[in-house]
Amino acid sequence: MAFKTWRTGVHIQQDRIFAVALTKERSTWNLRRWWQIPLDPGIIREGQIIQPEQLVAALSAWSKALPHHHRIFLAFPAARTLQKALPCPALTLCESEQTAWIASAISRELEMAPDALCFDYVQDTLTRSFQVTAAQNKEVAALLTLAKTLRLHIAAITPDAGALANLLLSLEPSAQCAVWRDENHWLWATRHQWGRKPLAEAETVPELAAILALKPEEMALFAANSLDPFSLVIRYLPPLPECGADFTIALALAMGEIVE
């Protein structure tokens, strides 16, 4: 193949955007570029896009630097999602019936019209339940509109915490949970679950591990004085950022799978 598709993870935060572009050759991740893009105050507020025009302007030069062969893996704030376990109905349903049933159940839970929600789900056969992740359609639509305006090729929109599970595939088997934190919250993911916890509920990794019923040594913390996510990349040409941990979510997104 003459061109390798750039798999680019994009993590939009309150005051900055972190992006990482990787290519994959067999089982090796290769770093192509990384970007840190500052944002003016008020563009993003509590995970929501407040000023879309200003966000487009901030990302315009970056989007033009991407090659034609690219796929964008975009973060969606875990804080703007709802996770819910719904017991499976007694009757066996086909896939379309399952989707309709879940849409009805989750809309009742949130007291919102089904068409106002965007959701995904997996079936847990052990607990006979559907593990549902839901978000407001208008907030997902805002990201899709942003991508269309910038002519980005979206491969997936993934809750930021959930993306951390991608890193576990490159860690030692003893690592059961990937962990990252911002100023106020922990983001964590095991191979089957993910979530967000305020620092007020767990000030340290051992405290978070106890809440998750895990051992501290099973927690893989990506932080300035701990694991650097770029250590999972075998080949790289550009210099690495001073604080690689800031790019943890973006790099984890880039390692995601494309769902056709």
Side-chain angles (χ1 to χ4, degrees):
M1 182 182 294
F3 299 96
K4 291 289 184 182
T5 299
W6 284 24
R7 302 164 56 90
T8 305
V10 180
H11 186 201
I12 302 175
Q13 295 187 260
Q14 193 91 341
D15 59 348
R16 292 174 294 176
I17 295 174
F18 295 98
V20 176
L22 304 177
T23 56
K24 191 172 187 181
E25 186 172 346
R26 298 178 182 175
S27 60
T28 299
W29 290 108
N30 304 320
L31 177 64
R32 295 304 181 185
R33 289 282 301 276
W34 57 266
W35 300 265
Q36 181 174 325
I37 304 166
L39 294 178
D40 291 334
I43 294 179
I44 304 293
R45 186 179 305 142
E46 296 181 355
Q48 291 183 282
I49 300 174
I50 305 300
Q51 300 179 17
E53 295 84 2
Q54 286 84 340
L55 185 56
V56 168
L59 288 172
S60 180
W62 165 78
S63 66
K64 293 174 182 177
L66 294 171
H68 176 74
H69 295 272
H70 75 264
R71 291 291 182 270
I72 300 295
F73 295 77
L74 192 56
F76 188 88
R80 307 297 305 174
T81 66
L82 170 75
Q83 291 188 77
K84 186 71 177 178
L86 299 175
C88 294
L91 298 176
T92 300
L93 304 177
C94 67
E95 185 173 352
S96 60
E97 291 171 333
Q98 283 181 0
T99 302
W101 181 85
I102 292 170
S104 177
I106 203 71
S107 64
R108 287 196 303 271
E109 178 79 21
L110 298 177
E111 298 182 348
M112 296 176 64
D115 59 3
L117 294 172
C118 179
F119 66 90
D120 194 9
Y121 67 93
V122 294
Q123 187 170 2
D124 188 333
T125 55
L126 293 177
T127 61
R128 284 194 49 76
S129 65
F130 293 113
Q131 304 296 322
V132 185
T133 302
Q136 292 192 52
N137 241 337
K138 64 181 181 180
E139 296 186 9
V140 177
L143 290 174
L144 293 174
T145 299
L146 173 71
K148 183 177 181 181
T149 303
L150 294 170
R151 298 183 178 180
L152 303 177
H153 304 155
I154 295 291
I157 297 177
T158 305
D160 47 16
L164 287 169
N166 297 329
L167 301 178
L168 292 172
L169 300 175
S170 301
L171 297 175
E172 295 296 326
S174 59
Q176 297 297 308
C177 184
V179 182
W180 180 80
R181 55 163 286 186
D182 58 21
E183 293 181 356
N184 301 306
H185 295 87
W186 299 102
L187 297 183
W188 61 270
T190 66
R191 286 171 174 80
H192 305 292
Q193 294 179 304
W194 55 267
R196 178 176 178 268
K197 280 288 180 185
L199 293 180
E201 294 184 20
E203 294 184 359
T204 65
V205 170
E207 290 178 3
L208 179 63
I211 292 174
L212 300 177
L214 293 170
K215 300 175 182 177
E217 58 267 27
E218 293 175 326
M219 310 290 278
L221 173 63
F222 290 87
N225 297 319
S226 189
L227 289 173
D228 184 338
F230 287 102
S231 66
L232 306 180
V233 179
I234 302 301
R235 300 177 182 173
Y236 54 87
L237 294 177
L240 296 178
E242 290 184 8
C243 184
D246 290 342
F247 294 79
T248 298
I249 300 297
L251 193 142
L253 287 161
M255 291 181 171
E257 294 296 328
I258 297 178
V259 178
E260 300 293 346

